[in-house]
């Protein structure tokens, strides 16, 4: 950013934040099975190459969600390092990720790689125009019981779930659990 004016640096930060927001919408949409949230990360004419799938973003959703629904009880698409190369209304963005799935057979699948995206700014909004996925490693983790699952009232705020019933959609967010300190 050296040599840029304060206004140019602020615009760079705003562009990066808008791009990161789109990346986050993709992850949240996939994990909460929120098609509208997922689709809002991409332009309608975006292309996608993910695993064996190559085609439209909507087609990728139609392929991926039934696979995740049949295979996993929960998924987490965690975003890590993000590198931005912004040139005008086009940005090439590399995002490291870790994917974890709690499988229906009680195993846990973990994989990592990079999303390599071409973003385009249209009408002042950044969205993904092309995504390719570089999967770099994968493995299975042993399963353990979810911590504190046996604590009375632990699910009073609601269990983690896919869809609008998940606690993260509750507005206003409130705590339904009774005060308790295990230390006494």
């Amino acid at each position: 950013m050296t040599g840029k004016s304060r206004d140019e640096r602020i615009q760079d930060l705003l562009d990066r934040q808008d791009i990161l927001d789109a990346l986050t919408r993709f992850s949240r949409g996939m994990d909460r099975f929120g098609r509208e949230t997922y689709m809002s990360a991409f332009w309608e004419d975006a292309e996608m190459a993910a695993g064996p799938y190559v085609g439209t973003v909507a087609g990728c959703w139609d392929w991926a969600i039934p696979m995740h629904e049949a295979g996993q009880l929960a998924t987490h698409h965690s975003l890590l390092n993000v590198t931005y190369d912004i040139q005008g209304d086009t940005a090439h963005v590399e995002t490291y990720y870790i994917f974890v799935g709690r499988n229906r057979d009680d195993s846990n699948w973990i994989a990592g790689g990079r999303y390599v995206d071409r973003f385009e700014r249209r009408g002042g909004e950044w969205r993904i125009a092309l995504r390719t996925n570089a999967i770099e490693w994968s493995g299975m983790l042993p399963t353990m019981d979810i911590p504190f699952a046996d604590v009375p009232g632990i699910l009073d705020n609601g269990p983690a779930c896919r869809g609008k019933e998940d606690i993260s959609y509750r507005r206003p967010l409130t705590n339904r659990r009774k005060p308790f300190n295990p230390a006494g």
Side-chain angles (χ1 to χ4, degrees):
M1 286 195 204
T2 306
K4 291 187 177 184
S5 72
R6 179 177 172 80
D7 287 345
E8 289 170 326
R9 292 177 65 207
I10 289 171
Q11 186 59 55
D12 283 346
L13 290 171
L14 293 171
D15 290 341
R16 289 171 185 239
Q17 186 60 55
D18 289 346
I19 290 168
L20 182 59
D21 288 348
L23 292 166
T24 302
R25 289 194 308 271
F26 159 77
S27 292
R28 179 180 170 88
M30 287 298 295
D31 293 335
R32 300 278 64 81
F33 285 6
R35 187 179 195 280
E36 184 177 322
T37 302
Y38 162 89
M39 292 298 292
S40 74
F42 299 91
W43 291 113
E44 192 173 302
D45 60 346
E47 298 176 63
M48 172 78 84
Y53 179 85
V54 179
T56 67
V57 174
C60 187
W61 173 270
D62 294 340
W63 164 74
I65 292 303
M67 175 185 63
H68 286 307
E69 192 169 40
Q72 284 103 21
L73 296 167
T75 57
H76 287 210
H77 291 78
S78 300
L79 305 175
L80 305 168
N81 304 341
V82 183
T83 304
Y84 307 84
D85 177 10
I86 302 171
Q87 303 292 326
D89 290 333
T90 302
H92 290 86
V93 179
E94 176 187 57
T95 308
Y96 285 66
Y97 71 85
I98 294 176
F99 165 83
V100 180
R102 184 166 179 98
N103 298 322
R104 292 190 180 277
D105 67 2
D106 281 333
S107 64
N108 294 295
W109 175 31
I110 185 168
R114 295 170 291 128
Y115 299 125
V116 182
D117 298 316
R118 186 183 77 237
F119 275 78
E120 292 177 3
R121 178 173 34 204
R122 302 178 190 173
E125 182 179 6
W126 287 103
R127 291 188 185 195
I128 301 166
L130 173 67
R131 163 161 286 178
T132 189
N133 182 355
I135 303 169
E136 298 181 304
W137 56 270
S138 176
M140 299 300 284
L141 297 173
T143 299
M144 299 171 53
D145 289 336
I146 294 176
F148 309 115
D150 60 346
V151 172
I154 195 77
L155 298 178
D156 287 353
N157 280 328
C161 63
R162 294 169 167 161
K164 300 279 184 179
E165 301 80 31
D166 186 76
I167 187 174
S168 65
Y169 288 96
R170 189 182 315 147
R171 300 293 184 267
L173 180 63
T174 58
N175 178 40
R176 296 177 179 168
R177 294 184 63 200
K178 295 177 182 167
F180 175 74
N181 182 343

